[in-house]
Amino acid sequence: MTLHHAVLVGLSTTFMLAACRKDKDDTPPTVVILEPVAGTTIAIPDTVVVRVQVSDAYAVHSLTVELTDAANATVASAGTLTLDGTGGTYTFALRLTDERLPGGTYTIVARASDGHNDGRGFMGINMLEAP
């Protein structure tokens, strides 16, 4: 084998390996909260229907919905779904039963993970404290 052939074989091997390499996933899933609408007022106790649309170019592995207070502390959770696909629209039931929660502005946070990146959607709601 001549030097010229050895260089061609080496370059061909390098290009084939580079072509087989998977693309790195640097983009988080897209997360949009469809329901409730911003500014919705809820009275405790209540169950809020939360609809979330998620999508990702590669895959979505999980989706979590929580309610946070002004300090970003989680005060209620609707749970986590394990997903297998590139997206969809999912419905959660966020049960608000803690009558000790004060009235005010809270945020519904939907977090989707593709295994490498987390995408988040936010929706502000108003809550009336229990009588």
Side-chain angles (χ1 to χ4, degrees), residues 16-83:
M16 285 192 311
L17 290 174
C20 293
R21 185 179 53 189
K22 290 186 177 181
D23 293 332
K24 185 174 180 184
D25 183 6
D26 290 333
T27 305
T30 301
V31 181
V32 178
I33 297 175
L34 303 172
E35 287 183 46
V37 296
T40 295
T41 299
I42 297 158
I44 297 175
D46 200 353
T47 298
V48 180
V49 174
V50 180
R51 278 189 342 120
V52 181
Q53 184 177 38
V54 298
S55 63
D56 189 75
Y58 295 96
V60 180
H61 295 298
S62 65
L63 177 60
T64 302
V65 172
E66 298 174 329
L67 183 70
T68 62
D69 62 14
N72 292 323
T74 301
V75 297
S77 176
T80 300
L81 289 177
T82 301
L83 306 175

Side-chain angles (χ1 to χ4, degrees), residues 75-126:
V75 297
S77 176
T80 300
L81 289 177
T82 301
L83 306 175
D84 184 22
T86 58
T89 301
Y90 304 93
T91 302
F92 290 80
L94 180 61
R95 290 177 181 82
L96 304 174
T97 58
D98 186 352
E99 294 184 1
R100 298 171 292 160
L101 288 174
T105 302
Y106 289 79
T107 304
I108 296 172
V109 180
R111 184 178 69 248
S113 175
D114 63 11
H116 301 285
N117 310 288
D118 285 351
R120 289 179 173 77
F122 303 92
M123 185 63 61
I125 62 170
N126 300 309

Side-chain angles (χ1 to χ4, degrees), residues 1-9:
M1 178 182 290
T2 66
L3 179 60
H4 179 67
H5 286 109
V7 170
L8 286 176
V9 169

